[in-house]
Amino acid sequence: RYARFRSIVGTISDVKDCTKPELMFAVSLISQYMSNPGDEHMLFLENMLLYLKGVADIPFRFTRQANPDQDIAVMFSDASLGNRDARRSQTCWLAFLYGNLVGWNSRYQPSVAQSVTESEFMAVSGAAKEAIWIRHLLADIGLQCGDATHILEDNVTDQYK
């Protein structure tokens, strides 16, 4: 039972990493129960597999944005303050290039945040690191991103740091 659970979670995680970023939060959540999955966790996995079966024929398309005035690279970042189990905040960022989703991450932050602002600041920091990596990658293949990569987040206090 445990081996089957781990195998299914690993497979879904591989799918998430390659083509289905909408699964990143669900995989992160269900991965917490790898050592002792219950019946409700197996049911959750079965529902995820049914979802994947339903969206298997939907392609993952990359198209160039129609508006040349838009930024080439844009990042979105968010965080939720720690949950009752781990006390660590969940971080998520999304990277878009020419309007296409090219990178994503959802995970627990490595340390406990003392406030929502600190949690959001850690999330923005992670997004900024990824933005720098993407800009270097693009420069290596001869593409320039313009002046700056915009990182959009939803906490007003972070904007004044």
Side-chain angles (χ1 to χ4, degrees):
R1 175 184 170 113
Y2 298 132
R4 181 171 180 257
F5 183 84
R6 284 191 289 266
S7 175
I8 294 171
V9 171
T11 301
I12 293 174
S13 182
D14 290 343
V15 169
K16 172 231 11 144
D17 289 342
C18 298
T19 60
K20 297 291 181 195
E22 69 270 19
L23 294 177
M24 66 184 158
F25 179 77
V27 170
S28 174
L29 186 67
I30 198 68
S31 295
Q32 297 172 36
Y33 302 98
M34 294 286 260
S35 63
N36 189 20
D39 291 336
E40 66 274 17
H41 304 119
M42 287 301 289
L43 182 62
F44 186 83
L45 278 184
E46 289 174 17
N47 287 331
M48 288 177 72
L49 291 172
L50 287 173
Y51 169 78
L52 284 172
K53 183 179 180 183
V55 297
D57 294 332
I58 299 174
F60 198 71
R61 289 204 176 112
F62 290 98
T63 58
R64 190 167 188 137
Q65 63 194 19
N67 185 355
D69 294 331
Q70 284 184 319
D71 296 322
I72 293 172
V74 177
M75 302 286 296
F76 292 88
S77 169
D78 196 16
S80 62
L81 193 57
N83 68 13
R84 61 185 159 89
D85 294 330
R87 306 238 169 122
R88 291 183 295 154
S89 301
Q90 184 83 20
T91 288
C92 174
W93 57 256
L94 304 169
F96 288 85
L97 190 60
Y98 291 108
N100 296 289
L101 181 63
V102 296
W104 53 86
N105 190 0
S106 176
R107 62 181 174 81
Y108 280 118
Q109 293 176 348
S111 60
V112 176
Q114 300 299 311
S115 67
V116 174
T117 301
E118 184 181 358
S119 175
E120 292 280 352
F121 191 75
M122 284 193 263
V124 169
S125 174
K129 290 174 190 174
E130 185 68 16
I132 291 168
W133 184 87
I134 289 172
R135 290 178 69 87
H136 286 157
L137 175 66
L138 292 175
D140 286 347
I141 61 173
L143 294 173
Q144 297 301 320
C145 280
D147 295 338
T149 300
H150 289 160
I151 300 175
L152 306 170
E153 50 83 32
D154 65 349
N155 191 328
V156 176
T157 58
D158 284 346
Q159 297 172 8
Y160 301 105
K161 292 262 181 204

